[in-house]
Amino acid sequence: MADQTFRHELAQQLRVDSVRSSAAAGSGHPTSSMSAADLMAVLLDGYLRLDFTDPGNPHNDHLVFSKGHASPLYYSLLKAAGAIDDEELLSFREFGSRLEGHPTPRIPPTDVATGSLGQGLPVAVGLALAGARLDRLPYRVWALCGDSEMAEGSVWEAFQHAAWYGLDNLTVLVDVNRLGQTGETMLGWDMDGYAARARAFGWHAVVVDGHDLAAVDEAFAEAVATTGRPTAVLARTEKGHGVRAVADQPGRHGKPLDDPEGAVRELGGERNLGVRVAAPENTGTPHRFPVGEATPPRWEVGEEVATRLAYGEALTALGAARGDVVALDGEVSNSTHSELFARAHPDRYFEMFIAEQQMIAAAVGMQARNWVPFASTFGAFLSRAYDFVRMAAVSRADLRLCGSHAGVSIGEDGPSQMALEDMAALRAVHGSAVLHPSDANQAARLVEAMADRPGISYLRTLRGKTPVRTPPDEEVSIGGSRVVRATDHDDLTIVACGITVDEAERAADVLEAEGVLAKVIDCYSVKPIDTVTLAAAASESRAVITVEDHWPEGGLGEAVLSALAGVADRPPVRVLGVRDMPVSGSPAELTHAAGIDADAVVAAARHLLRNPSPTVVG
Amino acid sequence: MADQTFRHELAQQLRVDSVRSSAAAGSGHPTSSMSAADLMAVLLDGYLRLDFTDPGNPHNDHLVFSKGHASPLYYSLLKAAGAIDDEELLSFREFGSRLEGHPTPRIPPTDVATGSLGQGLPVAVGLALAGARLDRLPYRVWALCGDSEMAEGSVWEAFQHAAWYGLDNLTVLVDVNRLGQTGETMLGWDMDGYAARARAFGWHAVVVDGHDLAAVDEAFAEAVATTGRPTAVLARTEKGHGVRAVADQPGRHGKPLDDPEGAVRELGGERNLGVRVAAPENTGTPHRFPVGEATPPRWEVGEEVATRLAYGEALTALGAARGDVVALDGEVSNSTHSELFARAHPDRYFEMFIAEQQMIAAAVGMQARNWVPFASTFGAFLSRAYDFVRMAAVSRADLRLCGSHAGVSIGEDGPSQMALEDMAALRAVHGSAVLHPSDANQAARLVEAMADRPGISYLRTLRGKTPVRTPPDEEVSIGGSRVVRATDHDDLTIVACGITVDEAERAADVLEAEGVLAKVIDCYSVKPIDTVTLAAAASESRAVITVEDHWPEGGLGEAVLSALAGVADRPPVRVLGVRDMPVSGSPAELTHAAGIDADAVVAAARHLLRNPSPTVVG
């Protein structure tokens, strides 16, 4: 029988320390912390198996604070567990402190950053998938959710997937404190409503008074004992529980208490209890998938291959050579060609159905356990998970993304399916690489390079076939580029990537017949970009044209302009991109209409070279 | 009693025409169309009240094809209803045709573009909200969903909100044909699973054989008769129903039939039935909210006001002057200050809780009925709805967005709450405006301008107060800029926006003391950008520095570089932005650490002017 007095004292300490740390910071969310203190006391003392002195221990349980704004509670439990001391606790939100306003992996054992609501649970699904299907270890994953975040659709993607994958190693604790930031949540204290939703989605659900320590203990025991499906512990709680001035009061969200000293007194004063969190048992080593001989795909110059197919083939070969590579797809694997990986390595392929947010979150969870996930869908639909990619960067996640069907060159399907903003969006992710190969050999080599690259890497692939130009043994590197054609006296530099490399080369042929020599640079690495090659080419040319199958904002053109920003004597640059909303049509009709085909490059070149120094050229 | 023979013939015609149009196009989704043909036959013949000759009729019902890939079915029903002829039907997916691969508003009466799954139903919630709460007309909203898209979390946001708002004018028809693009959906034909989910979310649910015309009729009647909550008609169907070669077969998604002629024969041949879709009754005029005298807010130079507060005040005044303005917020209205509008105009304020995707979708639905929605949340969390904003552009939606808490200047809350990619993401939306005022008067004037601007406009506001510099009567316009300080002989141009205008001005003071004259441009309209002013300033300066509280990619710096792209003689440009992942700290600590404060501007200026023509400057 657990010592309920100790747990009560521990819970009160977590409340006190939440109040103290928020007061010290002058900001923070103490009331959102106080509601879940009892849940955490029972978890720490009775259920969590986590060696805080060895955060990398593969047997550790994982605790994800999906309600990241309850960081005062999280840091208070780290203190109780001995992971930080009281001085560090009181550095909460200070510049330089590891204890940021919302948790990040800067403070171990935090797996991922939270603070954008509705993301922690989907990431926990990824961790639980890693435990059940990859590591094949009995660690458990505990996620603490707020009730406000249950409004996020991503939470229901997580519910759906966790049940479908039968993740009985996953428990979500929902802190139903009724009050959101500005008022009551949609469900308030309708515990039956939450339970009905959880059960309808295939979960075991337990409703409990979140301040009844014995009841919480029983619920956790039930969660651990439940097999074949995940468990939701739905805890009815009070926001600000334990301090009358704030308990269940509106208008108390996200601010320190007015009278923290009084609150600490009301909670029984400061304590300095330590809790001996159970260490995990050593239950063997994480599963390793067998590897074998793998032949990376290669194509001869002149073959016609879609870069999306090259992605699938390269990833499959990579998976044969490396057991840590896994793949996820958003139910379009026969379009992205991740189906090749799925067929070759079915145990390491995860079908995430049409739930892009859950797909990215699952990948983030898996990489937190050192797996090397590649997640693919149409480039256009990666935009669905943009907040997850943004947060993955805050999580310092190593993530590989592939977006297929880039640009108007997909043709008849129309603009809803065309990625036209993906390079802009992915470039604006901290530490990202944005790669857009023009041929199969480039794509394959970049897939291999992505596997070893820290941070978030994005490969943009094409629907249609393109001719192989890059010899199979030529070096292709993140940050590199390829000079497709050049002479010693180029009048013009044309910078292209992906489908427009063909167009640039055709344009150079036309221009050469007119006596204009053009250098063509295949800028397959849009970020990082090959500044040295571009600057040298620009300084030797009378004009630069960039051409991309993407909106003009934030893509190749602006990446080139950034690379040349410091060059004082650079010639005028003309950015060709898609400026009008595309419609359906053939790839040729659409690239022509968009002004990104060879005709457009030729016209821009004639204009620039005839009129090299206009005051303003859009 | 409905004529089941006619309906059967009509359904077969819809199948035949889906097969024919996809065959003519050589691509498309006939099998996904055939499963829902019976649902549409009953809807057209018995329930829809829509005057196809007058798509703008406010009394019309609305039909949203959330499964936009079933466009062959949609266009076939437009033909049956007399909205298009057979020749146009067969122009499906041709360049120039209104019948794009996925529906867009180019073909009336289509309200919104679909094709990114899981968006049509949330938009339908917006249309239904408009009907129930704004127009106050009894039109009904019908949404056709595929079963694959039920995996998207956004669908469950829609279920949650529709029930919470009691939208009994909304009916969703879920075409449960079991098969997705690559295989079976998670639920397959588990009709009870769908029903349990719908009911748990507060909907009335009816399970029906989707090919039993009488049963479908009964289900629709039940939907119409249900009050107080929306109805889900969960229809068990067969993909490719009616043609043995494809019915319920995997591997038949998204491609024309191999033998279209044989399929047409099997379906009983071509027909040319017309269906007289009921016109809506004229049930009075749409509700108009009373308007009155409104005093737009204005502040005197030197006052200290947060631009987010100016947003709230300006929007509230706008709402007093214009009855068509409505506001939505993602449960942070006391942070964005849309709460001021909510208090003044409670009937036109919509709390969308923490469901940013549903928030944007609801706004899109409302604007389709000519309301003027402003939707606000933290700028960082607009990234959650990026795919919805992307699709809003394809929908040609007029949408106003406000993202608060921009950049590292928010301080202690940390990077999860900081919008640092929002300008890049929103610039890369077709036809968008991206506005980032530095003071309250600018913010207020831009809010007013946004109300009249077609397309998607984004206002980026600051958490902290900034001094008012713009006189209250000075013109502030989308596409404009403001010269904060200038002489006739500036050595340097500093371009700033938002919080960095203060820093730029402080830097200019320091530089002036060193004998360097700097022009400071407040570039509050990042897109469209004031190219004329920037180009003139650049050509008169020895160097240009841009400084923004945003990643360097895709924001102000690259917008300025784009504006100057065609200027051959422009001086070197240095882009200052946030280059390392921020942490928590005070605004001053964080802007300093990020290298976007006055110190950083001064250092960059000294470097550039000492060394004006480096080969490459990052």
Side-chain angles (χ1 to χ4, degrees), chain A residues 13 17 57 122 149 248 454 478 495:
Chain A
Q13 172 175 314
D17 285 348
N57 185 331
E149 68 180 312
D248 194 35
I478 296 174
V495 188

Side-chain angles (χ1 to χ4, degrees), chain A residues 146-198:
Chain A
D147 49 352
S148 277
E149 68 180 312
M150 302 300 276
E152 287 284 12
S154 54
V155 165
W156 299 101
E157 294 182 13
F159 265 79
Q160 176 69 31
H161 280 74
W164 197 76
Y165 276 106
L167 298 176
D168 53 20
N169 56 345
L170 173 66
T171 308
V172 64
L173 320 178
V174 186
D175 177 19
V176 185
N177 66 23
R178 189 181 74 85
L179 294 173
Q181 173 169 329
T182 66
E184 192 171 46
T185 63
M186 279 186 276
L187 269 72
W189 272 327
D190 175 8
M191 305 307 296
D192 292 342
Y194 285 112
R197 285 161 172 74

Side-chain angles (χ1 to χ4, degrees), chain A residues 93 101-102 115 117 152-153 157 181-182 197 331 334-335 356 384 413 417 427 558 562 565 567 573 584 615, chain B residues 93 101-102 115 117 152-153 157 181-182 200 331 334-335 356 384 413 417 427 558 562 565 567 573 584 615:
Chain A
R93 291 175 165 245
H102 296 74
L117 289 173
E152 287 284 12
E157 294 182 13
Q181 173 169 329
T182 66
R197 285 161 172 74
E331 226 282 88
N334 55 349
S335 292
E356 296 81 7
R384 195 61 153 268
D413 269 339
Q417 320 292 303
R427 282 183 69 235
E558 292 194 351
S562 273
V567 182
V573 181
S584 290
T615 310
Chain B
R93 291 176 167 244
H102 295 75
L117 290 172
E152 287 284 12
E157 294 182 14
Q181 173 168 330
T182 66
E331 225 282 88
N334 55 349
S335 292
E356 295 82 6
R384 196 62 154 267
D413 268 340
Q417 319 292 304
R427 284 182 66 234
E558 293 194 350
S562 273
V567 183
V573 181
S584 289
T615 311

Side-chain angles (χ1 to χ4, degrees), chain B residues 79-299:
Chain B
K79 176 190 145 184
I84 62 171
D85 60 19
D86 197 65
E87 186 184 347
E88 185 165 11
L89 176 71
L90 298 180
S91 75
F92 178 44
R93 291 176 167 244
E94 281 177 13
F95 186 66
S97 170
R98 298 187 296 175
L99 311 188
E100 300 190 42
H102 295 75
T104 76
R106 289 180 61 224
I107 176 72
T110 314
D111 291 299
V112 292
T114 50
S116 180
L117 290 172
Q119 297 205 17
L121 181 61
V123 170
V125 168
L127 283 161
L129 274 172
R133 304 289 183 106
L134 298 171
D135 289 328
R136 303 184 184 177
L137 291 174
Y139 58 76
R140 298 193 65 79
V141 182
W142 305 84
L144 176 66
C145 285
D147 49 353
S148 276
E149 68 180 311
M150 304 299 276
E152 287 284 12
S154 54
V155 165
W156 299 101
E157 294 182 14
F159 265 79
Q160 177 68 30
H161 281 75
W164 197 77
Y165 277 106
L167 298 176
D168 53 20
N169 55 347
L170 173 65
T171 308
V172 63
L173 320 177
V174 186
D175 177 19
V176 185
N177 66 22
R178 188 180 74 85
L179 294 172
Q181 173 168 330
T182 66
E184 193 172 46
T185 62
M186 279 186 276
L187 269 71
W189 272 327
D190 175 9
M191 304 308 295
D192 292 341
Y194 285 113
R197 284 161 173 74
R199 288 177 189 135
F201 274 76
W203 285 50
H204 181 59
V206 194
V207 173
V208 71
D209 173 348
H211 304 309
D212 179 336
L213 294 163
V216 169
D217 188 290
E218 218 167 288
F220 288 1
E222 200 172 312
V224 170
T226 299
T227 56
R229 54 195 170 143
T231 297
V233 176
L234 305 164
R236 185 189 196 281
T237 61
E238 261 189 354
K239 200 160 177 169
H241 185 75
V243 174
R244 274 180 301 275
V246 296
D248 194 35
Q249 293 300 308
R252 297 293 175 172
H253 179 92
K255 50 184 79 161
L257 271 53
D258 293 336
D259 177 15
E261 292 79 7
V264 169
R265 273 196 306 277
E266 189 177 343
L267 290 163
E270 288 184 36
R271 297 159 177 83
N272 200 10
L273 300 170
V275 57
R276 194 184 302 264
V277 175
E281 286 175 55
N282 183 333
T283 45
T285 55
H287 178 73
R288 291 289 170 258
F289 291 91
V291 295
E293 285 297 300
T295 311
R298 46 183 288 148
W299 292 269

